[in-house]
Amino acid sequence: MEFSERVGRISESATMAVTAEAGRLKRAGVDVVALGAGEPDFPTPESIKQAAVRAIESNFTRYTAAGGIPELKEAIVAWHAREFGTSYAPSECIATVGGKHAIFNFLAALVDRGTEVILPVPYWVTFFDVINYYGGTPVKVVTKESNAFSLTAEDIESAITDRTKVVVVNSPNNPSGAVVEREEFERILALTASRGIMLLSDECYSHFVYSSKPFSIAAAAGAKPNVAVAGSLSKTFAMTGWRLGYLLGPAELIGNVNKLQSHATSNPTSIAQKAAVEALTGSMDAVYAMLGKYRERREYVVAALNDIPGVRCPQPNGAFYAYPNVSACFGMGGVDSSMDFARKLLSEAHVALVPGEAFGTSQQIRLSYAASMADLREGINRIRSFIAGLT
Ligand SMILES: Cc1ncc(COP(=O)(O)O)c(C=O)c1O
């Protein structure tokens, strides 16, 4: 069969591939420590689950409007206003099948062949592939490990051309955990807005910050015409499997995304929409309890990784990932890249991590600390022994 050129431009999500391989080994009876998936290990809070049960019992099981029920759009914009001080109207909001879907549709609405999209490196793998899928050009802006991967407006400015239409900022960042501080973010916005470039702010990890308060660039004065927000309930409320995200932006953009969604997926699952209303209108206590746990794990993981000879790990200020540099191990035991490191670690020490190549860097691996302390301790002990055995 001859497949489209478009689909040939992308590959399977590397993070999903690692999860699949770890799952395969587990099913074969191997004791795998899975630190690859970017997924909260906590269950969805009880009140949210109960809202879904009520939705099923009251037969809320039919199609809804493609962009979500009015009650949900109102809940999204009210939550965003409460948490960050923004002022979106429901017409500037669409509910999507996860944050990934919001990003996929946003890029579909803006990217044509040849459109340049500025993408800071390291990047979440999906951005790179989806930009390519639409025929656009990802223009990489490399952030440095020596600077804890912090992104600046100057970095972005040097990459802008007359074909630049979108700048992507994902803060807190997957995979590095770097957070763009408010003033720097405002400088980035001033730069992009002055050139008529759309700033896509991926806020999927907004509430998982360790040395600052959650904020949204969309709350900055005058930001709204030049900003689109991709958000997700997946990480914030431990709802990865429910598939509920959203896009906020100018009504015209939302209208175009709605058009696409009406043909592609129709609505996000009706039951998940009711659960999302409960999540967004209820207490944030469960979210802050998770943040407390991630904070403890981060302290342990970063210190323990830095204690392993051959590993260097900057302090991540957000999300739930550590992004250590393992290049000191290259040239030993047949390991010449992060990919080799991750493959060998999985097959020999049975620890699943994601190689930096998936995120556009060649010396790092990504470790998710959205895992129990027992798994983290075991995983790090195995990494220590694995490295010690590389000669
Ligand atoms: C940076 C970033 N954006 C968006 C998403 C999308 O999450 P979901 O589609 O589960 O809402 C993820 C998930 O890993 C992510 O890491």
PDB file of all heavy atoms in Angstrom, residues 15 38 97-101 103 124 127 170 172-174 202-205 230-235 239-240 243-245 321 366, ligand 1:
ATOM      1  N   THR A  15       7.752   8.540  23.515  1.00  0.00           N
ATOM      2  CA  THR A  15       7.381   8.296  24.912  1.00  0.00           C
ATOM      3  C   THR A  15       6.369   7.152  24.981  1.00  0.00           C
ATOM      4  O   THR A  15       6.440   6.287  25.847  1.00  0.00           O
ATOM      5  CB  THR A  15       6.815   9.574  25.555  1.00  0.00           C
ATOM      6  OG1 THR A  15       5.853  10.126  24.685  1.00  0.00           O
ATOM      7  CG2 THR A  15       7.900  10.591  25.793  1.00  0.00           C
ATOM      8  N   GLY A  38       4.892   9.941  31.241  1.00  0.00           N
ATOM      9  CA  GLY A  38       4.601  11.218  31.893  1.00  0.00           C
ATOM     10  C   GLY A  38       3.178  11.196  32.401  1.00  0.00           C
ATOM     11  O   GLY A  38       2.313  11.868  31.851  1.00  0.00           O
ATOM     12  N   VAL A  97     -10.187  16.593  23.015  1.00  0.00           N
ATOM     13  CA  VAL A  97      -9.937  15.232  23.493  1.00  0.00           C
ATOM     14  C   VAL A  97      -8.484  15.166  24.011  1.00  0.00           C
ATOM     15  O   VAL A  97      -7.605  14.593  23.381  1.00  0.00           O
ATOM     16  CB  VAL A  97     -10.197  14.208  22.359  1.00  0.00           C
ATOM     17  CG1 VAL A  97     -10.066  12.783  22.892  1.00  0.00           C
ATOM     18  CG2 VAL A  97     -11.585  14.412  21.762  1.00  0.00           C
ATOM     19  N   GLY A  98      -8.254  15.811  25.145  1.00  0.00           N
ATOM     20  CA  GLY A  98      -6.903  15.914  25.710  1.00  0.00           C
ATOM     21  C   GLY A  98      -6.192  17.150  25.179  1.00  0.00           C
ATOM     22  O   GLY A  98      -6.604  17.752  24.163  1.00  0.00           O
ATOM     23  N   GLY A  99      -5.111  17.514  25.864  1.00  0.00           N
ATOM     24  CA  GLY A  99      -4.324  18.675  25.443  1.00  0.00           C
ATOM     25  C   GLY A  99      -3.661  18.439  24.095  1.00  0.00           C
ATOM     26  O   GLY A  99      -3.480  19.350  23.291  1.00  0.00           O
ATOM     27  N   LYS A 100      -3.309  17.199  23.830  1.00  0.00           N
ATOM     28  CA  LYS A 100      -2.662  16.847  22.572  1.00  0.00           C
ATOM     29  C   LYS A 100      -3.557  17.220  21.389  1.00  0.00           C
ATOM     30  O   LYS A 100      -3.103  17.760  20.383  1.00  0.00           O
ATOM     31  CB  LYS A 100      -2.412  15.337  22.576  1.00  0.00           C
ATOM     32  CG  LYS A 100      -1.342  14.857  21.667  1.00  0.00           C
ATOM     33  CD  LYS A 100      -1.090  13.362  21.879  1.00  0.00           C
ATOM     34  CE  LYS A 100       0.181  13.086  22.634  1.00  0.00           C
ATOM     35  NZ  LYS A 100       0.551  11.666  22.681  1.00  0.00           N
ATOM     36  N   HIS A 101      -4.827  16.966  21.553  1.00  0.00           N
ATOM     37  CA  HIS A 101      -5.807  17.267  20.511  1.00  0.00           C
ATOM     38  C   HIS A 101      -5.919  18.789  20.310  1.00  0.00           C
ATOM     39  O   HIS A 101      -6.050  19.270  19.172  1.00  0.00           O
ATOM     40  CB  HIS A 101      -7.150  16.659  20.951  1.00  0.00           C
ATOM     41  CG  HIS A 101      -8.230  16.707  19.945  1.00  0.00           C
ATOM     42  ND1 HIS A 101      -9.553  16.898  20.290  1.00  0.00           N
ATOM     43  CD2 HIS A 101      -8.220  16.561  18.603  1.00  0.00           C
ATOM     44  CE1 HIS A 101     -10.295  16.871  19.209  1.00  0.00           C
ATOM     45  NE2 HIS A 101      -9.514  16.674  18.164  1.00  0.00           N
ATOM     46  N   ILE A 103      -3.555  20.918  20.720  1.00  0.00           N
ATOM     47  CA  ILE A 103      -2.344  21.340  20.004  1.00  0.00           C
ATOM     48  C   ILE A 103      -2.425  20.914  18.526  1.00  0.00           C
ATOM     49  O   ILE A 103      -2.112  21.686  17.619  1.00  0.00           O
ATOM     50  CB  ILE A 103      -1.104  20.742  20.705  1.00  0.00           C
ATOM     51  CG1 ILE A 103      -0.950  21.404  22.076  1.00  0.00           C
ATOM     52  CG2 ILE A 103       0.153  20.895  19.854  1.00  0.00           C
ATOM     53  CD1 ILE A 103      -0.038  20.664  23.036  1.00  0.00           C
ATOM     54  N   TRP A 124       8.683  18.922  23.833  1.00  0.00           N
ATOM     55  CA  TRP A 124       7.818  17.748  23.952  1.00  0.00           C
ATOM     56  C   TRP A 124       7.637  17.191  22.544  1.00  0.00           C
ATOM     57  O   TRP A 124       7.332  17.912  21.603  1.00  0.00           O
ATOM     58  CB  TRP A 124       6.480  18.151  24.570  1.00  0.00           C
ATOM     59  CG  TRP A 124       5.497  17.043  24.654  1.00  0.00           C
ATOM     60  CD1 TRP A 124       5.675  15.806  25.193  1.00  0.00           C
ATOM     61  CD2 TRP A 124       4.142  17.077  24.196  1.00  0.00           C
ATOM     62  NE1 TRP A 124       4.521  15.069  25.099  1.00  0.00           N
ATOM     63  CE2 TRP A 124       3.573  15.822  24.495  1.00  0.00           C
ATOM     64  CE3 TRP A 124       3.355  18.049  23.565  1.00  0.00           C
ATOM     65  CZ2 TRP A 124       2.250  15.509  24.182  1.00  0.00           C
ATOM     66  CZ3 TRP A 124       2.053  17.735  23.261  1.00  0.00           C
ATOM     67  CH2 TRP A 124       1.510  16.479  23.568  1.00  0.00           C
ATOM     68  N   PHE A 127       5.093  18.146  19.499  1.00  0.00           N
ATOM     69  CA  PHE A 127       5.157  19.402  18.737  1.00  0.00           C
ATOM     70  C   PHE A 127       5.926  19.201  17.433  1.00  0.00           C
ATOM     71  O   PHE A 127       5.492  19.624  16.369  1.00  0.00           O
ATOM     72  CB  PHE A 127       5.868  20.493  19.543  1.00  0.00           C
ATOM     73  CG  PHE A 127       5.050  21.044  20.667  1.00  0.00           C
ATOM     74  CD1 PHE A 127       5.476  20.928  21.977  1.00  0.00           C
ATOM     75  CD2 PHE A 127       3.848  21.689  20.418  1.00  0.00           C
ATOM     76  CE1 PHE A 127       4.727  21.445  23.017  1.00  0.00           C
ATOM     77  CE2 PHE A 127       3.086  22.210  21.449  1.00  0.00           C
ATOM     78  CZ  PHE A 127       3.528  22.082  22.760  1.00  0.00           C
ATOM     79  N   ASN A 170       6.377  25.982  26.175  1.00  0.00           N
ATOM     80  CA  ASN A 170       5.803  24.977  27.070  1.00  0.00           C
ATOM     81  C   ASN A 170       6.492  25.145  28.435  1.00  0.00           C
ATOM     82  O   ASN A 170       7.613  24.726  28.622  1.00  0.00           O
ATOM     83  CB  ASN A 170       6.057  23.588  26.476  1.00  0.00           C
ATOM     84  CG  ASN A 170       5.822  22.460  27.467  1.00  0.00           C
ATOM     85  OD1 ASN A 170       6.559  21.489  27.493  1.00  0.00           O
ATOM     86  ND2 ASN A 170       4.805  22.585  28.287  1.00  0.00           N
ATOM     87  N   PRO A 172       5.589  24.965  32.716  1.00  0.00           N
ATOM     88  CA  PRO A 172       6.771  24.140  32.910  1.00  0.00           C
ATOM     89  C   PRO A 172       6.978  23.182  31.736  1.00  0.00           C
ATOM     90  O   PRO A 172       6.016  22.722  31.140  1.00  0.00           O
ATOM     91  CB  PRO A 172       6.470  23.361  34.189  1.00  0.00           C
ATOM     92  CG  PRO A 172       5.451  24.184  34.918  1.00  0.00           C
ATOM     93  CD  PRO A 172       4.634  24.836  33.852  1.00  0.00           C
ATOM     94  N   ASN A 173       8.247  22.930  31.485  1.00  0.00           N
ATOM     95  CA  ASN A 173       8.605  22.209  30.270  1.00  0.00           C
ATOM     96  C   ASN A 173       8.677  20.696  30.468  1.00  0.00           C
ATOM     97  O   ASN A 173       9.190  20.207  31.469  1.00  0.00           O
ATOM     98  CB  ASN A 173       9.981  22.726  29.796  1.00  0.00           C
ATOM     99  CG  ASN A 173      10.477  22.043  28.537  1.00  0.00           C
ATOM    100  OD1 ASN A 173      11.164  21.028  28.597  1.00  0.00           O
ATOM    101  ND2 ASN A 173      10.126  22.584  27.389  1.00  0.00           N
ATOM    102  N   ASN A 174       8.147  20.005  29.501  1.00  0.00           N
ATOM    103  CA  ASN A 174       8.383  18.573  29.360  1.00  0.00           C
ATOM    104  C   ASN A 174       9.368  18.460  28.199  1.00  0.00           C
ATOM    105  O   ASN A 174       9.024  18.889  27.101  1.00  0.00           O
ATOM    106  CB  ASN A 174       7.079  17.856  29.020  1.00  0.00           C
ATOM    107  CG  ASN A 174       7.280  16.388  28.719  1.00  0.00           C
ATOM    108  OD1 ASN A 174       8.358  15.856  28.888  1.00  0.00           O
ATOM    109  ND2 ASN A 174       6.218  15.740  28.244  1.00  0.00           N
ATOM    110  N   ASP A 202       1.682  26.247  26.165  1.00  0.00           N
ATOM    111  CA  ASP A 202       1.228  24.931  26.609  1.00  0.00           C
ATOM    112  C   ASP A 202       1.330  24.897  28.136  1.00  0.00           C
ATOM    113  O   ASP A 202       2.416  24.875  28.701  1.00  0.00           O
ATOM    114  CB  ASP A 202       2.110  23.847  25.983  1.00  0.00           C
ATOM    115  CG  ASP A 202       1.723  22.445  26.438  1.00  0.00           C
ATOM    116  OD1 ASP A 202       1.111  22.298  27.513  1.00  0.00           O
ATOM    117  OD2 ASP A 202       2.044  21.483  25.724  1.00  0.00           O
ATOM    118  N   GLU A 203       0.153  24.917  28.765  1.00  0.00           N
ATOM    119  CA  GLU A 203       0.089  25.029  30.236  1.00  0.00           C
ATOM    120  C   GLU A 203      -0.263  23.711  30.906  1.00  0.00           C
ATOM    121  O   GLU A 203      -0.805  23.713  32.018  1.00  0.00           O
ATOM    122  CB  GLU A 203      -0.975  26.077  30.608  1.00  0.00           C
ATOM    123  CG  GLU A 203      -0.696  27.455  30.077  1.00  0.00           C
ATOM    124  CD  GLU A 203      -1.741  28.488  30.492  1.00  0.00           C
ATOM    125  OE1 GLU A 203      -2.791  28.114  31.062  1.00  0.00           O
ATOM    126  OE2 GLU A 203      -1.509  29.682  30.227  1.00  0.00           O
ATOM    127  N   CYS A 204       0.037  22.606  30.266  1.00  0.00           N
ATOM    128  CA  CYS A 204      -0.416  21.325  30.814  1.00  0.00           C
ATOM    129  C   CYS A 204       0.127  21.031  32.218  1.00  0.00           C
ATOM    130  O   CYS A 204      -0.464  20.273  32.955  1.00  0.00           O
ATOM    131  CB  CYS A 204      -0.043  20.193  29.861  1.00  0.00           C
ATOM    132  SG  CYS A 204      -1.050  20.268  28.385  1.00  0.00           S
ATOM    133  N   TYR A 205       1.272  21.635  32.550  1.00  0.00           N
ATOM    134  CA  TYR A 205       1.858  21.384  33.896  1.00  0.00           C
ATOM    135  C   TYR A 205       1.742  22.616  34.787  1.00  0.00           C
ATOM    136  O   TYR A 205       2.494  22.752  35.759  1.00  0.00           O
ATOM    137  CB  TYR A 205       3.332  20.979  33.748  1.00  0.00           C
ATOM    138  CG  TYR A 205       3.504  19.698  32.979  1.00  0.00           C
ATOM    139  CD1 TYR A 205       3.702  19.710  31.593  1.00  0.00           C
ATOM    140  CD2 TYR A 205       3.431  18.462  33.608  1.00  0.00           C
ATOM    141  CE1 TYR A 205       3.825  18.533  30.868  1.00  0.00           C
ATOM    142  CE2 TYR A 205       3.562  17.284  32.893  1.00  0.00           C
ATOM    143  CZ  TYR A 205       3.753  17.329  31.532  1.00  0.00           C
ATOM    144  OH  TYR A 205       3.869  16.160  30.824  1.00  0.00           O
ATOM    145  N   ALA A 230      -3.006  26.095  25.357  1.00  0.00           N
ATOM    146  CA  ALA A 230      -3.393  24.681  25.314  1.00  0.00           C
ATOM    147  C   ALA A 230      -3.326  24.176  26.747  1.00  0.00           C
ATOM    148  O   ALA A 230      -2.296  24.289  27.409  1.00  0.00           O
ATOM    149  CB  ALA A 230      -2.444  23.887  24.428  1.00  0.00           C
ATOM    150  N   GLY A 231      -4.438  23.670  27.227  1.00  0.00           N
ATOM    151  CA  GLY A 231      -4.486  23.173  28.604  1.00  0.00           C
ATOM    152  C   GLY A 231      -4.997  21.754  28.634  1.00  0.00           C
ATOM    153  O   GLY A 231      -5.510  21.231  27.635  1.00  0.00           O
ATOM    154  N   SER A 232      -4.846  21.140  29.797  1.00  0.00           N
ATOM    155  CA  SER A 232      -5.228  19.734  29.904  1.00  0.00           C
ATOM    156  C   SER A 232      -5.595  19.404  31.341  1.00  0.00           C
ATOM    157  O   SER A 232      -4.990  19.937  32.271  1.00  0.00           O
ATOM    158  CB  SER A 232      -4.044  18.875  29.484  1.00  0.00           C
ATOM    159  OG  SER A 232      -4.283  17.531  29.815  1.00  0.00           O
ATOM    160  N   LEU A 233      -6.568  18.528  31.498  1.00  0.00           N
ATOM    161  CA  LEU A 233      -6.879  18.061  32.853  1.00  0.00           C
ATOM    162  C   LEU A 233      -6.058  16.824  33.206  1.00  0.00           C
ATOM    163  O   LEU A 233      -6.074  16.361  34.342  1.00  0.00           O
ATOM    164  CB  LEU A 233      -8.384  17.748  32.975  1.00  0.00           C
ATOM    165  CG  LEU A 233      -9.258  18.981  33.268  1.00  0.00           C
ATOM    166  CD1 LEU A 233      -9.377  19.883  32.050  1.00  0.00           C
ATOM    167  CD2 LEU A 233     -10.634  18.584  33.759  1.00  0.00           C
ATOM    168  N   SER A 234      -5.331  16.311  32.210  1.00  0.00           N
ATOM    169  CA  SER A 234      -4.634  15.028  32.370  1.00  0.00           C
ATOM    170  C   SER A 234      -3.716  14.992  33.582  1.00  0.00           C
ATOM    171  O   SER A 234      -3.800  14.091  34.417  1.00  0.00           O
ATOM    172  CB  SER A 234      -3.792  14.730  31.136  1.00  0.00           C
ATOM    173  OG  SER A 234      -4.602  14.399  30.050  1.00  0.00           O
ATOM    174  N   LYS A 235      -2.805  15.961  33.643  1.00  0.00           N
ATOM    175  CA  LYS A 235      -1.790  15.930  34.710  1.00  0.00           C
ATOM    176  C   LYS A 235      -2.342  16.612  35.949  1.00  0.00           C
ATOM    177  O   LYS A 235      -2.178  16.109  37.060  1.00  0.00           O
ATOM    178  CB  LYS A 235      -0.508  16.628  34.249  1.00  0.00           C
ATOM    179  CG  LYS A 235      -0.151  16.441  32.783  1.00  0.00           C
ATOM    180  CD  LYS A 235       0.485  15.126  32.455  1.00  0.00           C
ATOM    181  CE  LYS A 235       0.656  15.009  30.943  1.00  0.00           C
ATOM    182  NZ  LYS A 235       1.482  13.938  30.492  1.00  0.00           N
ATOM    183  N   MET A 239      -5.997  12.783  35.371  1.00  0.00           N
ATOM    184  CA  MET A 239      -7.094  12.301  34.507  1.00  0.00           C
ATOM    185  C   MET A 239      -6.579  11.924  33.118  1.00  0.00           C
ATOM    186  O   MET A 239      -7.262  12.171  32.114  1.00  0.00           O
ATOM    187  CB  MET A 239      -8.168  13.388  34.377  1.00  0.00           C
ATOM    188  CG  MET A 239      -8.915  13.668  35.664  1.00  0.00           C
ATOM    189  SD  MET A 239     -10.113  15.016  35.486  1.00  0.00           S
ATOM    190  CE  MET A 239     -11.373  14.275  34.431  1.00  0.00           C
ATOM    191  N   THR A 240      -5.397  11.338  33.039  1.00  0.00           N
ATOM    192  CA  THR A 240      -4.808  11.081  31.715  1.00  0.00           C
ATOM    193  C   THR A 240      -5.714  10.254  30.800  1.00  0.00           C
ATOM    194  O   THR A 240      -5.823  10.528  29.615  1.00  0.00           O
ATOM    195  CB  THR A 240      -3.447  10.377  31.855  1.00  0.00           C
ATOM    196  OG1 THR A 240      -3.569   9.348  32.821  1.00  0.00           O
ATOM    197  CG2 THR A 240      -2.358  11.335  32.285  1.00  0.00           C
ATOM    198  N   ARG A 243      -9.120  11.831  28.758  1.00  0.00           N
ATOM    199  CA  ARG A 243      -8.919  12.593  27.525  1.00  0.00           C
ATOM    200  C   ARG A 243      -9.754  13.872  27.506  1.00  0.00           C
ATOM    201  O   ARG A 243     -10.730  14.002  26.768  1.00  0.00           O
ATOM    202  CB  ARG A 243      -9.220  11.742  26.265  1.00  0.00           C
ATOM    203  CG  ARG A 243      -8.562  10.388  26.211  1.00  0.00           C
ATOM    204  CD  ARG A 243      -7.063  10.414  26.485  1.00  0.00           C
ATOM    205  NE  ARG A 243      -6.324  11.232  25.559  1.00  0.00           N
ATOM    206  CZ  ARG A 243      -5.401  12.126  25.959  1.00  0.00           C
ATOM    207  NH1 ARG A 243      -5.116  12.334  27.232  1.00  0.00           N
ATOM    208  NH2 ARG A 243      -4.767  12.834  25.054  1.00  0.00           N
ATOM    209  N   LEU A 244      -9.343  14.819  28.326  1.00  0.00           N
ATOM    210  CA  LEU A 244     -10.036  16.096  28.342  1.00  0.00           C
ATOM    211  C   LEU A 244      -9.017  17.239  28.404  1.00  0.00           C
ATOM    212  O   LEU A 244      -8.231  17.310  29.346  1.00  0.00           O
ATOM    213  CB  LEU A 244     -10.989  16.145  29.554  1.00  0.00           C
ATOM    214  CG  LEU A 244     -12.300  16.930  29.400  1.00  0.00           C
ATOM    215  CD1 LEU A 244     -12.059  18.366  28.980  1.00  0.00           C
ATOM    216  CD2 LEU A 244     -13.234  16.282  28.377  1.00  0.00           C
ATOM    217  N   GLY A 245      -9.040  18.064  27.379  1.00  0.00           N
ATOM    218  CA  GLY A 245      -8.178  19.241  27.345  1.00  0.00           C
ATOM    219  C   GLY A 245      -8.971  20.413  26.798  1.00  0.00           C
ATOM    220  O   GLY A 245     -10.197  20.325  26.601  1.00  0.00           O
ATOM    221  N   TYR A 321       9.484  15.875  35.893  1.00  0.00           N
ATOM    222  CA  TYR A 321      10.560  15.187  35.188  1.00  0.00           C
ATOM    223  C   TYR A 321      11.927  15.672  35.651  1.00  0.00           C
ATOM    224  O   TYR A 321      12.100  16.854  35.940  1.00  0.00           O
ATOM    225  CB  TYR A 321      10.472  15.456  33.686  1.00  0.00           C
ATOM    226  CG  TYR A 321       9.143  15.116  33.084  1.00  0.00           C
ATOM    227  CD1 TYR A 321       8.261  16.123  32.696  1.00  0.00           C
ATOM    228  CD2 TYR A 321       8.746  13.789  32.931  1.00  0.00           C
ATOM    229  CE1 TYR A 321       7.020  15.818  32.155  1.00  0.00           C
ATOM    230  CE2 TYR A 321       7.503  13.480  32.395  1.00  0.00           C
ATOM    231  CZ  TYR A 321       6.644  14.497  32.011  1.00  0.00           C
ATOM    232  OH  TYR A 321       5.422  14.197  31.485  1.00  0.00           O
ATOM    233  N   ARG A 366      15.204  11.252  30.085  1.00  0.00           N
ATOM    234  CA  ARG A 366      14.125  11.817  30.907  1.00  0.00           C
ATOM    235  C   ARG A 366      13.606  10.778  31.878  1.00  0.00           C
ATOM    236  O   ARG A 366      13.231   9.675  31.481  1.00  0.00           O
ATOM    237  CB  ARG A 366      12.972  12.307  30.039  1.00  0.00           C
ATOM    238  CG  ARG A 366      11.945  13.093  30.860  1.00  0.00           C
ATOM    239  CD  ARG A 366      10.649  13.315  30.112  1.00  0.00           C
ATOM    240  NE  ARG A 366       9.824  12.111  30.072  1.00  0.00           N
ATOM    241  CZ  ARG A 366       8.609  12.052  29.545  1.00  0.00           C
ATOM    242  NH1 ARG A 366       8.078  13.122  28.986  1.00  0.00           N
ATOM    243  NH2 ARG A 366       7.918  10.922  29.543  1.00  0.00           N
TER     244      ARG A 366
HETATM  245  C1  LIG B   1       3.961  19.306  27.274  1.00  0.00           C
HETATM  246  C2  LIG B   1       2.724  18.503  27.093  1.00  0.00           C
HETATM  247  N1  LIG B   1       1.693  19.056  26.457  1.00  0.00           N
HETATM  248  C3  LIG B   1       0.558  18.393  26.250  1.00  0.00           C
HETATM  249  C4  LIG B   1       0.411  17.093  26.680  1.00  0.00           C
HETATM  250  C5  LIG B   1      -0.872  16.426  26.360  1.00  0.00           C
HETATM  251  O1  LIG B   1      -1.494  15.772  27.372  1.00  0.00           O
HETATM  252  P1  LIG B   1      -2.942  15.167  27.168  1.00  0.00           P
HETATM  253  O2  LIG B   1      -3.181  14.947  25.732  1.00  0.00           O
HETATM  254  O3  LIG B   1      -2.957  13.924  27.971  1.00  0.00           O
HETATM  255  O4  LIG B   1      -3.876  16.197  27.725  1.00  0.00           O
HETATM  256  C6  LIG B   1       1.470  16.448  27.320  1.00  0.00           C
HETATM  257  C7  LIG B   1       1.382  15.047  27.716  1.00  0.00           C
HETATM  258  O5  LIG B   1       2.337  14.372  27.981  1.00  0.00           O
HETATM  259  C8  LIG B   1       2.652  17.194  27.540  1.00  0.00           C
HETATM  260  O6  LIG B   1       3.694  16.643  28.172  1.00  0.00           O
END
